[in-house]
Amino acid sequence: MKITDFPVELTPIPGTNQVWHGTVSVQKLHEVCANVRAKGGRLAALWASDERDQGGGYALYLALA
């Protein structure tokens, strides 16, 4: 799978080896995960965060490999 295959704008994280960051809407999350799976990728980690004290809501984080 190439990083350019993602239907999301991704930004490399400086100082890491091939690690990228991107933000997707709830509506697009399924499409991104299905795309990763179809190309042989997998879910490596999943966690959530309560970010209400930062002016947000709840955030879901995924590490896809």
Side-chain angles (χ1 to χ4, degrees):
M1 171 188 253
K2 296 178 183 176
I3 201 69
T4 56
D5 291 341
F6 272 87
V8 174
E9 184 177 329
L10 297 171
T11 306
I13 297 176
T16 64
N17 187 20
Q18 296 183 342
V19 177
W20 299 76
H21 173 267
T23 301
V24 297
S25 67
V26 171
Q27 295 79 12
K28 195 158 185 130
L29 181 59
H30 181 268
E31 177 187 345
V32 169
C33 291
N35 188 314
V36 170
R37 182 176 183 216
K39 296 188 186 302
R42 61 186 166 79
L43 175 67
L46 173 69
W47 66 99
S49 175
D50 180 352
E51 299 182 359
R52 292 176 293 174
D53 61 342
Q54 299 169 24
Y58 295 100
L60 181 64
Y61 295 92
L62 292 83
L64 303 170

